[in-house]
Amino acid sequence: MKMKKFMMSIALAGALLVAPTVSEATVKMGDRGASVTELQQTLASKGHNSSSNVDGVFGPMTLRAVQSYQLAHRISSPAGNFYGVAGPATLSSLGLSASSSSSSSSNSTAVAGASTSSSSSGIISTARSQIGTPYVWGGTTPRGFDCSGFVQYTFAQNGKSTPRTVAQMWSAGTRVSSPSVGDLVFFETRRGPSHVGIYLGGNQFIHAGASTGVTISNMGSSYWSNAYLGAKRL
């Protein structure tokens, strides 16, 4: 009898170890679906989101709402790695479960022909979480970035080291004829490689612009298409 109880205890412990928990849940910039809608509704009920911004799309307004809630509840701050990402601590504080958040789907890598490796997904997730961060010359933290500082920080958060300057990144990278998600795209805004961003797919890239801060831009626009130098992979 004692042996039977012992075996049942082991089985129960094993089940608990493999059961999904809220710590596995993350809702972030670019996600869509019921989990985002629930997040938006809950933030609105707590006064951190507009009731008109409940559309199931995690965009800039939802990002600001999450950041507002995190600051108010001291969950994260602009210096935190997950500022603007509704991770385990934020979801738990809001009373949201892992099961609802696990159904979210990201559109950041759902592009035909684009790389969908876990490495690039992590890089894109980190990059998107910094949308709205101001531009600061020489900046390398979420308090403010310049273009290469933003790339360096984003890659470092995913275990990859990069050179510090745009020119050094250009020299260190391997040239690719067509960028995949997570590759670096370079531009000549003054003589030589002088601006860098991270390719998102769909002809879009995320970067720290001098006049915009961290934002997403279209490489097909007249300005960026004329300044485009090429793509490289680190």
Side-chain angles (χ1 to χ4, degrees), residues 2-16:
K2 289 183 178 180
M3 178 61 70
K4 185 177 180 180
K5 288 183 178 180
F6 176 72
M7 295 301 293
M8 289 178 65
S9 297
I10 292 177
L12 178 60
L16 290 173

Side-chain angles (χ1 to χ4, degrees), residues 102-117:
S102 63
S103 63
S104 66
S105 59
S106 172
N107 67 354
S108 64
T109 56
V111 179
S115 168
T116 56
S117 70

Side-chain angles (χ1 to χ4, degrees), residues 148 151-153 155-156 160-164 169 184 234:
S148 55
V151 169
Q152 186 182 55
Y153 170 86
F155 274 64
K160 291 190 173 185
S161 61
T162 69
R164 173 63 185 91
M169 290 178 184
L184 299 185
L234 294 179

Side-chain angles (χ1 to χ4, degrees), residues 11-209:
L12 178 60
L16 290 173
L17 286 173
V18 299
T21 66
V22 72
S23 64
E24 298 171 352
T26 300
V27 186
K28 58 190 180 301
M29 189 74 174
D31 284 355
R32 297 169 179 265
S35 61
V36 179
T37 301
E38 185 178 13
L39 173 65
Q40 292 169 330
Q41 290 172 336
T42 305
L43 287 168
S45 71
K46 296 181 181 297
H48 291 274
N49 185 38
S50 169
S51 57
S52 62
N53 180 45
V54 180
D55 56 4
V57 179
F58 198 129
M61 289 181 66
T62 305
L63 175 71
R64 289 191 289 271
V66 171
Q67 291 172 336
S68 171
Y69 182 83
Q70 289 174 329
L71 285 172
H73 293 266
R74 298 183 178 181
I75 295 171
S76 188
S77 70
N81 292 340
F82 300 100
Y83 186 51
V85 176
T90 303
L91 294 173
S92 177
S93 175
L94 287 166
L96 299 178
S97 66
S99 58
S100 63
S101 61
S102 63
S103 63
S104 66
S105 59
S106 172
N107 67 354
S108 64
T109 56
V111 179
S115 168
T116 56
S117 70
S118 58
S119 176
S120 6
S121 296
I123 287 169
I124 298 307
S125 175
T126 302
R128 285 179 174 273
S129 74
Q130 295 303 318
I131 288 176
T133 299
Y135 181 90
V136 173
W137 177 261
T140 60
T141 74
R143 295 185 182 89
F145 293 110
D146 63 16
C147 67
S148 55
F150 169 64
V151 169
Q152 186 182 55
Y153 170 86
T154 301
F155 274 64
Q157 295 304 303
N158 290 275
K160 291 190 173 185
S161 61
T162 69
R164 173 63 185 91
T165 69
V166 177
Q168 290 168 341
M169 290 178 184
W170 173 261
S171 297
T174 301
R175 188 73 178 254
V176 292
S177 58
S178 180
S180 293
V181 172
D183 286 342
L184 299 185
V185 286
F186 293 84
F187 303 87
E188 187 174 27
T189 54
R190 53 184 183 275
R191 189 172 182 179
S194 48
H195 191 71
V196 63
I198 303 169
Y199 189 65
L200 297 177
N203 219 29
Q204 293 187 319
F205 72 106
I206 186 167
H207 62 121

